[in-house]
């Protein structure tokens, strides 16, 4: 049986000079515009090059195909998300429930701010979903959650912590995706984030992870 072919999603080369860096930045900015206005189905390298004001040949110096451009946009988003996770969840000066609450607020805000591009990238996911880089990115996120839950739930069995990690990630992703499909006001985002945080913190508390620290009416909205 022939080996399954994987679409190349790595960049051809990295820009070394300011001019090359500017060209790549212009391509990525144009890619976001094309995705937002035309969607993943009409996303092509020719459209991106035209929007960026560069030749297709210049674009191909750095991106071998449209999957590589889309994956670069997605991997940049993954890096931002991973940095957000590490900054919040690795802050051992803050109690775990408060870290969860801070993460929920930051994540839901991000989902709402980037809803259009996220939906388009989700539609394009089959182009790079099984790429080694995509697998590595998912593994890195899983490690951050694993380390946090090992600290937050030290007396819980490893298998149970693993289930908790998958449940929290899936809940965040599904709730963020669903909620951000409709434009939201800051007040709506805060209220929804507090409710979701209360639920996740109560779940951790029930598993032995400390006080749930629920939001109390009359307090300023946590953000």
């Amino acid at each position: 049986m022939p080996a399954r072919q994987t679409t190349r999603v790595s960049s051809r080369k990295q820009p070394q000079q300011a001019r090359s860096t500017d060209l790549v930045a212009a391509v990525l900015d144009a890619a976001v515009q094309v995705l937002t206005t035309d969607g993943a189905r009409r996303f092509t390298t020719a459209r991106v090059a035209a929007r960026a004001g560069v030749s297709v040949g210049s674009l191909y110096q750095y991106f071998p195909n449209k999957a590589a451009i889309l994956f670069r946009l997605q991997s940049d988003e993954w890096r931002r998300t991973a940095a957000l996770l590490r900054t919040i969840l690795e802050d051992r000066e803050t109690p775990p429930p408060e870290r969860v609450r801070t993460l929920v607020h930051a994540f839901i805000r991000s989902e709402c701010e980037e809803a259009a591009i996220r939906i388009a990238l989700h539609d394009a996911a089959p182009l790079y979903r099984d790429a080694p880089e995509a697998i590595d990115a998912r593994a890195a996120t899983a490690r951050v959650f694993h380390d946090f839950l090992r600290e937050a739930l030290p007396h819980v069995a490893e298998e149970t912590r693993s289930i908790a990690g998958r449940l929290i990630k899936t809940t965040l992703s599904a709730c963020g995706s669903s909620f951000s499909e409709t434009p939201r006001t800051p007040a709506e985002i805060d209220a929804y984030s507090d409710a979701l945080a209360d639920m996740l913190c109560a779940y951790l508390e029930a598993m032995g992870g400390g006080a749930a620290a629920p939001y109390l009416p009359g307090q300023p909205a946590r953000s």
Side-chain angles (χ1 to χ4, degrees), residues 88 91-102 148 151 209 211 213:
I88 295 172
D91 177 17
R92 297 200 172 211
E93 298 298 317
T94 301
E98 286 300 328
R99 277 181 260 171
V100 170
R101 187 171 298 280
T102 300
F148 167 73
E151 175 197 353

Side-chain angles (χ1 to χ4, degrees), residues 195-216:
L196 180 56
D198 283 346
M199 182 181 72
L200 293 178
C201 287
Y203 171 63
L204 288 178
E205 182 185 28
M207 296 181 68
Y215 172 71
L216 299 177

Side-chain angles (χ1 to χ4, degrees), residues 6-90:
T6 300
T7 301
R8 181 180 177 182
V9 295
S10 299
S11 300
R12 288 188 185 276
K13 63 179 182 179
Q14 297 300 318
Q16 301 296 325
Q17 300 177 346
R19 181 177 179 182
S20 299
T21 300
D22 290 343
L23 187 150
V24 169
V27 168
L28 295 175
D29 286 344
V32 171
Q33 294 174 35
V34 172
L35 268 180
T36 302
T37 58
D38 300 341
R41 293 182 181 276
R42 301 184 65 196
F43 185 91
T44 64
T45 53
R47 287 178 184 273
V48 173
R51 187 71 63 93
V54 302
S55 69
V56 174
S58 295
L59 181 152
Y60 281 148
Q61 292 183 51
Y62 299 96
F63 301 101
N65 47 49
K66 71 176 185 179
I69 301 174
L70 292 167
F71 182 74
R72 171 62 184 271
L73 293 176
Q74 180 65 81
S75 60
D76 285 350
E77 193 277 330
W78 279 332
R79 279 192 288 271
R80 288 192 296 271
T81 300
L84 177 70
L85 287 173
R86 286 194 298 271
T87 298
I88 295 172
L89 296 184
E90 293 179 357

Side-chain angles (χ1 to χ4, degrees), residues 104-128:
V104 170
H105 274 268
F107 182 81
I108 296 300
R109 278 199 305 270
S110 175
E111 288 286 281
C112 290
E113 291 168 358
E114 301 176 0
I117 185 67
R118 177 183 48 75
I119 292 170
L121 285 174
H122 181 270
D123 291 341
L127 292 172
Y128 50 75

